[in-house]
Amino acid sequence: MAVAAVAVFATAVPASAHDSLVHSTPEADESLTTAPESITLTYSGELLVLGDSTQGAVVLVIDESGRDWATGDVEVSGNTVTAAVEPGMPDAGYQVRWQVVSEDGHPISGIVPFTIGDAEPMTTQAPTDADAPAYVPDASDQTPNETDGGLRALLVGGAGAAIAVVALVLYRILRRPKTAPAASAEGDAAEEK
């Protein structure tokens, strides 16, 4: 049972080790007086990149019509992601939709809403194929998608339970007294004499 408990805890700890967004410029729900020149996202750990520093991270700056105002390559440096923004963004509500690869290898994503001028915040809506990369960030701003974590926890828990049952069965088999049949045979022999 101790081995089963160690197996469960050893595999369950990495499931909750995803990095998270700790700071953004602009900040979530910030109202800017002028359009930003770039978007900066800072995470709790070093991000993984595939190949050069522009692969593995996606940043979109979406307006109400679905237009993406981000321009150029996204730069990843350690735990920071930077994306340039096209000039001339009008007063409106926007969403920074991001996806990066966490230090533990899992993709995480989220949304950072902000406004320019006296505009109303953009109504949160799921991205469509036309304005989003191959992911759909959840609507809980700045938080990683934990769907895979829940499934993983169930699988790890099931595996741990199976290991515990096998360990208990083996324990009982190995602890079964082996002298009982021999004693019974000696008793039968004594009765015959």
Side-chain angles (χ1 to χ4, degrees), residues 44-67:
S44 59
E46 298 280 321
L47 301 175
L48 295 184
V49 291
L50 311 171
D52 62 35
S53 66
T54 64
Q55 296 178 331
V58 177
V59 176
L60 305 175
V61 182
I62 303 296
D63 64 15
E64 198 80 54
S65 69
R67 177 178 174 181

Side-chain angles (χ1 to χ4, degrees), residues 13-33:
V13 170
S16 62
H18 299 317
D19 294 322
S20 61
L21 181 66
V22 294
H23 182 72
S24 65
T25 304
E27 295 181 1
D29 301 317
E30 185 175 357
S31 180
L32 305 175
T33 55

